[in-house]
Amino acid sequence: MAQRKVNWFAIGISIAVVVVLIGIGVAVWWGNALANSAGEAPDNPAVDASTGAIAVGDGPDTVDTYVDFMCPACASFEQAYGPALADLAADGTITLNIHPVSILDRASGGTEYSTRAANAAYCVAEDDADNVLPFVQAMYANQPSEGGTGLTDDEIVAIAQGVGASDDVAECVSDGTYKRFVAAMTRETPLQEGASGVATPTIVVNGEVLANQTDLTGDPQRDIVSRFN
C-alpha cells in the first residue's frame, strides 16, 4: 500500500485560517467590550449619553454640577447655590447639567452608597426627568453621615416616589441598572486646576472649571452668574 503523503501546505493554510478567525473573534469581542464598557444609558432626551449630564432647563448659559450624594461639601453647595440655580434654570437663563458621580463609595461601609444613589438619579431621570432636581434636593435633605452605610435602596426609592417618580423606579434602583454607566461617567469628571484627583463638587460654568478653594465663596451672583456670557 502506497504511503499517503501529508499535505503540509494545506495543513498550514488551515492553521492560518483558524488563527485568523480566532484573531477576528478576539477583535470583535474586544470591540464589543469597549463599546459596552460604559454600560446602558438612561433612555430619556434629558440625559446626554456621552457625558452623563441630566439637563434641567434649556437656557443659553450652562452650569454643570458633578455631585456625589455622600459628599458633605456637595450638600453645602446645594444649600448655598441650589435655590439660585433652580431659579435660573426655571426662568430660562441656564441649562443646569447635573452629573451624579460616585467618588465616596469607600465612605459607606461597603454598601456603595454613592454608586447606588447616583444610579437612582438616572432611574428617576429615565422615569421622568422633571423629577430629577426635586430628587437631588430631597436626597441632600436626607443625606446620611459620611462613614455610615448610607440610605437603603428602599429608602432611596421612597424619596424618589415622594417627589413624583413612578413605581417603575424601584426595580431600576434595586437592579443597579445604571451602575456601570455611573462608573464610566465618573471617570469623565473634569479636574480642577492643580488638583491630582477629582474634587466634589466640581462646578463648570460655560466650560470653565471652577476652583473650589478660590471660586466658590457661597455667593451665587459673584461665583456663577457673573461668568455668564
Side-chain angles (χ1 to χ4, degrees):
M1 179 182 296
Q3 187 176 6
R4 296 180 62 185
K5 299 177 68 175
V6 178
N7 190 337
W8 293 108
F9 177 77
I11 292 174
I13 291 296
S14 298
I15 292 173
V17 169
V18 170
V19 170
V20 169
L21 290 176
I22 291 174
I24 293 173
V26 170
V28 170
W29 174 85
W30 182 247
N32 289 337
L34 289 176
N36 295 324
S37 61
E40 179 184 4
D43 184 16
N44 189 295
V47 180
D48 187 328
S50 65
T51 67
I54 306 170
V56 178
D58 58 2
D61 288 291
T62 59
V63 179
D64 289 69
T65 63
Y66 296 77
V67 293
D68 185 314
F69 288 108
M70 179 61 95
C71 162
C74 296
S76 297
F77 176 85
E78 171 60 31
Q79 183 176 12
Y81 297 86
L85 293 179
D87 288 345
L88 290 167
D91 70 16
T93 300
I94 68 169
T95 298
L96 174 61
N97 294 311
I98 300 171
H99 301 254
V101 299
S102 173
I103 305 297
L104 294 174
D105 273 346
R106 66 184 184 280
S108 58
T111 72
E112 296 186 332
Y113 175 69
S114 293
T115 293
R116 291 188 295 110
N119 169 74
Y122 284 121
C123 294
V124 171
E126 181 171 60
D127 181 68
D128 186 345
D130 287 343
N131 294 323
V132 169
L133 188 54
F135 175 75
V136 170
Q137 295 165 341
M139 286 290 282
Y140 281 121
N142 293 276
Q143 186 181 56
S145 299
E146 188 175 6
T149 57
L151 303 176
T152 66
D153 286 350
D154 287 344
E155 289 171 328
I156 294 172
V157 169
I159 290 173
Q161 293 176 338
V163 299
S166 75
D167 292 342
D168 293 340
V169 300
E171 183 176 359
C172 179
V173 170
S174 62
D175 286 351
T177 302
Y178 300 113
K179 282 186 174 181
R180 288 176 59 201
F181 186 68
V182 168
M185 295 301 102
T186 297
R187 292 192 292 270
E188 301 303 315
T189 305
L191 297 183
Q192 297 179 25
E193 185 175 359
S196 58
V198 173
T200 51
T202 291
I203 311 302
V204 183
V205 180
N206 286 332
E208 178 188 0
V209 181
L210 305 190
N212 289 358
Q213 298 299 318
T214 57
D215 294 329
L216 297 182
T217 68
D219 181 350
Q221 182 68 38
R222 172 196 177 279
D223 303 339
I224 294 178
V225 176
S226 66
R227 301 175 191 274
F228 293 166
N229 295 322

